[in-house]
Amino acid sequence: MATYTTDVAVIGAGTAGLAAERHARKEGATTLLIDPVFAGTTCATVGCMPSKLLIAAADAAQAVRQAIDFGVTAEPVIDGRAVLERVRLLRDDFARGVRQSIEELPKGTCLTARARFEAPGVLALDTGDRVEARAVVIATGASPAVPKPYEAVKDHILTNETIFELEDLPESVGVIGAGPLGLELAQAMHRLGVRVEVFDAGDRLAGLPAEASDALHRILTESFPIHLDCKPDPSASDTGAALTWDGGKTRFEKLLIAAGRPPNLSALDLEKAGLELDDHGTPVFDPGTLQCGDAPIFIAGDANHDRPLLHEASDEGTVAGRNAAAWPDVRRTSRKVPLSIAFTRPEAAVIGAIPDGTEYVCGEVDYGNQGRARVEGRAQGLARIYASAEDGRLTGAALCAPSGEHLAHLLAWAIQCEMTASDMLDLPFYHPVIEEGLQMALRDVCRQAGLSRPWQRNDEPLPGSDGGASED
């Protein structure tokens, strides 16, 4: 048995944990990074990157299938084994890069073990060793949840941690959960020739407001069924798992559980850390400092379940690491505008705050008739931009639109820079591009907020312009 003494102990070597250790060390603190496997980040191994690799293959298949719309005759021949081999090959390369960065940490930084609190500032490791730290950062991430009824068909269950290990594409997949991950993988599987149906107990898709959710639902259900307000009952069948619900029963070779990823906190013995916990067993913390109460304990990334996204985990790890090193001189940090994207086709996103009430206005553009979207055979969806009714200052947006990931970034930057709809209209818009469509929604905001345009008093498209939404 050994006792390690350090300024900052970081539990978990994912995106948040790596950022916390790095920034605590930059502040001059001694650090220890504790993880049971040091496999790499969730993003690189079982999240962002392998899912986008599968989506890229699905996009390629769909492009061939849709070529007939452009006068080009083609038909995709999908080799499921080759698709998944490429996913794993590039996935492993991304993960290898993360592991290499871990190997380059100063000698003695990494402890391969599982940690739990023995007392505030004292961690017991499953190796029998102990760690005494002046401050601790909890960055243990999250894991997929498999609802108890599905234990009866566990041999046919997939999660984001196992789906990319398939040797070949299955014949059929029932997807439980209509969040971003469930919808992304459902659409990708469908485009790769897999029979797919989606089930969700809620009434919205991908955490979107009603209008954007309805638009995405209309688009996706042209290709595969999505059952909302639905809790199917699973049961074993001879060749897979069956799902039964009001009005239907279907058998699937596999079931993909995408019903949430709760934080990995149960093994930490948090009660011994003296922390106040919420109803879900998560430490109560300050989002501006990531500090848990008044304790020298900080929580970052998916472990706090506040903004479970990679870029937020990296930012939170930075804040937590700096504050852990500086404790008790803890400083608040302004958070970036919330930005969440689902990489469906079309992409869907929620940006900033989605308000309601008469003090706000909402401008909308329908991408079903937008010039560049029509050229590319992607004329579907909408974008809604929310702003203050008093001055047209942007507060949030929701969209389901072609190139939505890029539109979402533009809107997030504008909101964070506290721009008004008029400010955005003063910026250059090239023609013909997808971004032009935003002009329609921004002009709509200006009209509702009573903002006049000095160069365009009626606030209408310039002569000869399609305004980004109507036909040339």
Side-chain angles (χ1 to χ4, degrees), residues 262-315:
N264 296 324
L265 298 173
S266 60
L268 293 179
D269 287 353
L270 291 174
E271 64 279 3
K272 295 181 181 178
L275 301 178
E276 178 186 357
L277 306 181
D278 65 17
D279 293 341
H280 301 287
T282 302
V284 176
F285 68 99
D286 182 338
T289 64
L290 283 308
Q291 184 178 16
C292 301
D294 296 325
I297 300 175
F298 303 80
I299 186 166
D302 290 2
N304 66 38
H305 207 60
D306 183 32
R307 298 185 184 183
L309 302 163
L310 178 133
H311 68 281
E312 297 287 1
S314 180
D315 290 347

Side-chain angles (χ1 to χ4, degrees), residues 307-387:
R307 298 185 184 183
L309 302 163
L310 178 133
H311 68 281
E312 297 287 1
S314 180
D315 290 347
E316 289 186 358
T318 298
V319 173
R322 287 174 177 169
N323 279 335
W327 184 83
D329 183 20
V330 173
R331 299 180 182 180
R332 299 184 61 79
T333 300
S334 296
R335 298 297 296 268
K336 296 175 182 175
V337 167
L339 171 61
S340 176
I341 300 174
F343 292 88
T344 49
R345 300 291 186 260
E347 295 97 328
V350 181
I351 309 104
I354 307 300
D356 55 20
T358 57
E359 66 270 31
Y360 297 97
V361 295
C362 176
E364 180 174 309
V365 56
D366 181 354
Y367 269 90
N369 197 34
Q370 199 269 341
R372 181 63 180 275
R374 293 182 66 197
V375 166
E376 297 183 349
R378 299 193 292 159
Q380 293 178 303
L382 57 80
R384 291 169 61 85
I385 300 176
Y386 299 82

Side-chain angles (χ1 to χ4, degrees), residues 248-264:
K249 180 176 182 179
T250 307
R251 183 202 66 81
F252 298 98
E253 182 180 340
K254 297 289 183 181
L255 296 179
L256 171 63
I257 306 298
R261 291 173 51 84
N264 296 324

Side-chain angles (χ1 to χ4, degrees), residues 114-148:
R114 298 183 185 276
R116 60 180 176 81
F117 282 94
E118 194 173 82
V122 181
L123 302 174
L125 308 183
D126 63 356
T127 58
D129 299 332
R130 297 168 75 248
V131 172
E132 295 179 356
R134 192 170 61 84
V136 176
V137 177
I138 300 170
T140 45
S143 296
V146 177
K148 191 171 182 179

